[in-house]
Amino acid sequence: MTDMQKAVYEREHERFCVSTGDVAIDFNQVFGNGKPLVLEIGFGMGMATAEIAQKLPDINFIGIEVHRPGVGKLMSEIMNRGLSNLRIVERDAIEVLERCLPNECLSGVHLFFPDPWPKKKHHKRRIVNERFLSLISAKLKSGGYFYMTTDWEEYAHEALSRLEAFPGLKNSAAGFSERQAFRPVTKFEQRAIRAGRPTFELYFLKP
Ligand SMILES: C[S@@+](CC[C@H](N)C(=O)[O-])C[C@H]1O[C@@H](n2cnc3c(N)ncnc32)[C@H](O)[C@@H]1O
């Protein structure tokens, strides 16, 4: 972290990060309103997250990340852009889903360029598995969406088969979907573009 990021992190943590324990977060209290809630898992440095929140002020966003420099960077973005509809949880996403979110509280879940774990022996670390999909579908409201993107073709196909086999979510497209207009290019997507890798989009709905 730069000195600037460290300073912002120390000073503003309480203001922009939601502290969590083992009880459900009261989002009406966090945001002071009951607007629809969208969760982003693994926002990285958070530039796309901040841009989306600025573009969609009628939606509340919670970004989850464990990488502290990214948390510090997104805190600065929230401050600089004056965003009242975006807050951060600095904790493992699975723990947050399991322990801190009430069922059927989310209108959407974003998972942009999750760690691809390219080596076969590490595939079991990939976040998109049965347990994850069960958690996502339990936390989504009926009609809510799960939006995933990846530039890792083999992971994209694995995720697509898992999602299509999972009864709690339905594909909104035949196979991979179109890019959603609200989504800016993320930091990891920029790398993929430079390396000539296309992005695969998966957009599923909870019936
Ligand atoms: C490949 S990066 C993508 C970052 C960003 N979404 C982008 O597109 O630029 C994946 C991010 O997910 C975060 N991450 C991975 N597993 C996580 C977990 N279980 N809980 C929270 N964050 C996680 C990592 O720290 C990393 O910043």
Side-chain angles (χ1 to χ4, degrees):
M1 279 170 108
T2 61
D3 288 347
M4 169 85 157
Q5 283 170 345
K6 271 187 206 151
V8 172
Y9 181 88
E10 300 296 337
R11 198 181 61 229
E12 307 290 350
H13 191 269
E14 215 169 295
R15 203 164 134 214
F16 299 127
C17 293
V18 182
S19 52
T20 58
D22 281 343
V23 290
I25 302 167
D26 180 348
F27 290 105
N28 283 354
Q29 199 188 348
V30 169
F31 292 103
N33 61 58
K35 290 178 183 176
L37 182 68
V38 169
L39 183 76
E40 179 173 346
I41 295 170
F43 58 72
M45 297 308 275
M47 290 303 284
T49 314
E51 268 185 52
I52 293 171
Q54 191 161 21
K55 237 185 268 179
L56 303 173
D58 290 329
I59 297 176
N60 290 328
F61 291 90
I62 287 282
I64 306 183
E65 181 53 72
V66 288
H67 178 60
R68 185 152 295 174
V71 171
K73 179 77 178 86
L74 184 54
M75 282 164 61
S76 310
E77 285 301 313
I78 295 175
M79 218 166 43
N80 296 341
R81 296 173 192 240
L83 299 174
S84 57
N85 64 328
L86 170 59
R87 292 294 179 262
I88 299 168
V89 173
E90 186 181 5
R91 189 170 172 182
D92 178 86
I94 302 298
E95 274 183 31
V96 176
L97 285 164
E98 280 180 343
R99 301 185 192 175
C100 313
L101 296 187
N103 283 344
E104 306 204 345
C105 69
L106 300 175
S107 296
V109 176
H110 296 168
L111 178 66
F112 299 149
F113 304 90
D115 295 318
W117 298 108
K119 289 187 185 154
K120 200 163 174 71
K121 66 177 178 188
H122 292 151
H123 284 188
K124 56 181 178 301
R125 297 187 193 174
R126 287 176 171 172
I127 197 165
V128 179
N129 58 29
E130 284 296 306
R131 176 180 172 214
F132 176 76
L133 294 181
S134 298
L135 282 167
I136 293 296
S137 96
K139 303 305 164 184
L140 281 173
K141 291 181 182 197
S142 172
Y145 67 89
F146 171 58
Y147 182 20
M148 170 181 174
T149 58
T150 179
D151 59 311
W152 209 258
E153 186 167 2
E154 180 265 323
Y155 191 11
H157 285 281
E158 181 190 302
L160 183 63
S161 334
R162 278 190 195 278
L163 276 153
E164 289 194 327
F166 182 75
L169 295 167
K170 292 279 162 271
N171 201 345
S172 70
F176 295 111
S177 85
E178 295 293 308
R179 183 191 194 95
Q180 301 298 304
F182 68 81
R183 189 179 72 75
V185 173
T186 77
K187 186 163 182 236
F188 270 74
E189 189 173 18
Q190 282 167 5
R191 287 189 192 175
I193 292 168
R194 282 199 295 272
R197 289 193 300 272
T199 293
F200 296 85
E201 317 248 343
L202 297 94
Y203 195 89
F204 278 68
L205 294 169
K206 178 167 168 176

